[in-house]
Amino acid sequence: MAMRGAARAYGWMKAVGTVGTVGSAVGSYDALLVVSFGGPEKPDDVMPFLENVVRGRDVPRERLLEVEAHYQRFGGVSPINQQCRDLIAAVEPTVDLPVYWGNRNWHPYLEDTLRRMASDGVKRAAAFVTSAYSSYSACRQYLDDIALARAAVEGAPEVVKLPHYYDRPGFVAAMVDHTREALERLPAEHRDGARLVFTAHSVPISMAATSGPDGGAYEAQLRRAAELVVTGLGGDRGWDLVWQSRSGPPHVPWLEPDVCDHLRGLGASAVVLVPIGFVSDHMEVVYDLDVEAADLAREIGLPLARAATVGTHPSFVAVVGELLAEPEPPACPPGCCPAPPRRRAHG
């Protein structure tokens, strides 16, 4: 079923001209580096991991304790690391390169992975980041982390980040299949009228405004990805883009509306939540959508299903090989996705 759906979606995108042409030049890489966010794998990891994530961001301690409780509800284990392992296992047979894995915020750290790559004789690696969009936290921060890790490792390989892939046919086809599967989980009488609510991680408005080389890229890319999914489903269904998982200090404005606020006032007969901003079902998906949003939907009597993220869907796995086969991407302009200003919390 999923593969047939992927083929239909891919065929539709090819017909309307959204399938990119794979370049004839293959990059001179001798390894693939999967770069991800990282996550705790036991209860004692949770608070040190969260402190790594928010270092320098003035996130209130109360918010850290709240998020820690979310992780502890699931045994102190984030799904993200295992999902990275699963993605690597799916990718390895499709690429003729050794595959390494390094995280931003938890083991295996990028620095440790680059040290191992240097020891193995790797000279030039392509980096596939498990974030499909442009913004400081979704792109530039990964580039900065790679640069810091390379500076700390003698003989570190050159690392070239592969391009964004939010509009790649394989990414979109995977989300079309998963959204269709979620629609089919709704009661039959609610499927035709169900509204699609696409979700992505909220970021400070200042970060959203400066994302990409000309600003505004984060929201624009998410809307484009959502439009492609809706079109792949037939193009005749109402949809919205909303935000989740805000973590910053309350005085800093972030993108809104929050997904739960949106559901309260939506007035739809049924909803499918589509986490278009995420590659894997990590903690912010399984808690913020599968617990908080699902609890709210039950409370207000709103039939709700949640689409899976792209995960290891075969059409998404194929995207990695396609990116590797294309000509080396140009470097980001120097002012692209700058770091947001750090403002101290009031009081």
Side-chain angles (χ1 to χ4, degrees):
M1 173 77 76
M3 286 300 292
R4 288 198 297 272
R8 287 197 301 270
Y10 189 90
W12 160 76
M13 287 181 282
K14 188 173 182 180
V16 298
T18 59
V19 175
T21 301
V22 175
S24 57
V26 176
S28 56
Y29 307 120
D30 51 6
L32 172 65
L33 171 62
V34 174
V35 184
S36 196
F37 192 79
E41 299 197 86
K42 61 181 185 295
D44 289 347
D45 292 348
V46 176
M47 187 53 74
F49 161 76
L50 292 175
E51 289 170 346
N52 281 346
V53 172
V54 304
R55 187 168 287 115
R57 290 173 49 196
D58 301 318
V59 174
R61 186 70 178 178
E62 294 77 12
R63 174 59 180 166
L64 280 187
L65 293 171
E66 178 186 346
V67 175
E68 181 190 29
H70 300 171
Y71 281 90
Q72 300 299 0
R73 178 180 179 137
F74 292 87
V77 179
S78 168
I80 191 170
N81 276 357
Q82 185 56 49
Q83 292 184 12
C84 279
R85 295 183 185 102
D86 294 343
L87 178 61
I88 290 166
V91 166
E92 280 180 323
T94 73
V95 298
D96 190 22
L97 292 171
V99 182
Y100 295 82
W101 168 35
N103 286 328
R104 173 193 290 178
N105 296 300
W106 204 245
H107 307 281
Y109 286 110
L110 265 170
E111 182 179 328
D112 296 334
T113 300
L114 287 177
R115 187 169 288 109
R116 181 161 65 92
M117 293 169 73
S119 177
D120 290 347
V122 175
K123 301 300 183 185
R124 196 165 190 270
F128 179 83
V129 174
T130 59
S131 174
Y133 301 92
S134 297
S135 77
Y136 172 71
S137 59
C139 182
R140 173 62 64 181
Q141 193 171 9
Y142 282 106
L143 290 170
D144 292 347
D145 289 341
I146 290 169
L148 286 171
R150 290 188 68 239
V153 175
E154 184 177 356
E158 178 185 359
V159 178
V160 178
K161 182 182 178 294
L162 296 173
H164 303 302
Y165 46 86
Y166 65 92
D167 58 350
R168 294 283 173 149
F171 179 87
V172 175
M175 289 310 303
V176 169
D177 272 1
H178 290 166
T179 303
R180 186 180 288 113
E181 290 164 359
L183 283 164
E184 291 172 355
R185 292 198 302 272
L186 289 171
E189 66 272 19
H190 292 298
R191 291 172 192 165
D192 288 344
R195 192 166 186 86
L196 304 181
V197 176
F198 293 88
T199 75
H201 203 301
S202 185
V203 299
I205 289 176
S206 60
M207 184 189 296
T210 58
S211 61
D214 302 312
Y218 183 62
E219 289 180 86
Q221 290 171 359
L222 284 158
R223 290 191 182 279
R224 177 59 178 158
E227 289 168 355
L228 289 170
V229 172
V230 172
T231 304
L233 289 166
D236 56 353
R237 191 177 295 274
W239 64 276
D240 310 289
L241 175 63
V242 303
W243 311 97
Q244 63 170 91
S245 311
R246 175 191 168 126
S247 60
H251 67 282
V252 176
W254 283 48
L255 291 173
E256 295 179 340
D258 174 77
V259 57
C260 288
D261 293 339
H262 184 73
L263 294 179
R264 285 189 185 93
L266 188 57
S269 61
V271 162
V272 169
L273 295 179
V274 186
I276 194 72
F278 303 88
V279 168
S280 63
D281 287 11
H282 56 69
M283 186 58 63
E284 289 175 323
V285 174
V286 299
Y287 185 84
D288 294 358
L289 300 186
D290 296 347
V291 176
E292 285 191 332
D295 285 351
L296 172 64
R298 282 190 290 270
E299 177 186 325
I300 62 179
L302 177 66
L304 181 145
R306 199 265 290 177
T309 51
V310 290
T312 57
H313 189 289
S315 70
F316 176 60
V317 171
V319 169
V320 182
E322 292 168 6
L323 294 174
L324 282 169
E326 294 179 2
E328 183 178 321
C332 292
C336 188
C337 299
R342 303 298 188 190
R343 292 188 285 180
R344 304 296 300 180
H346 297 312

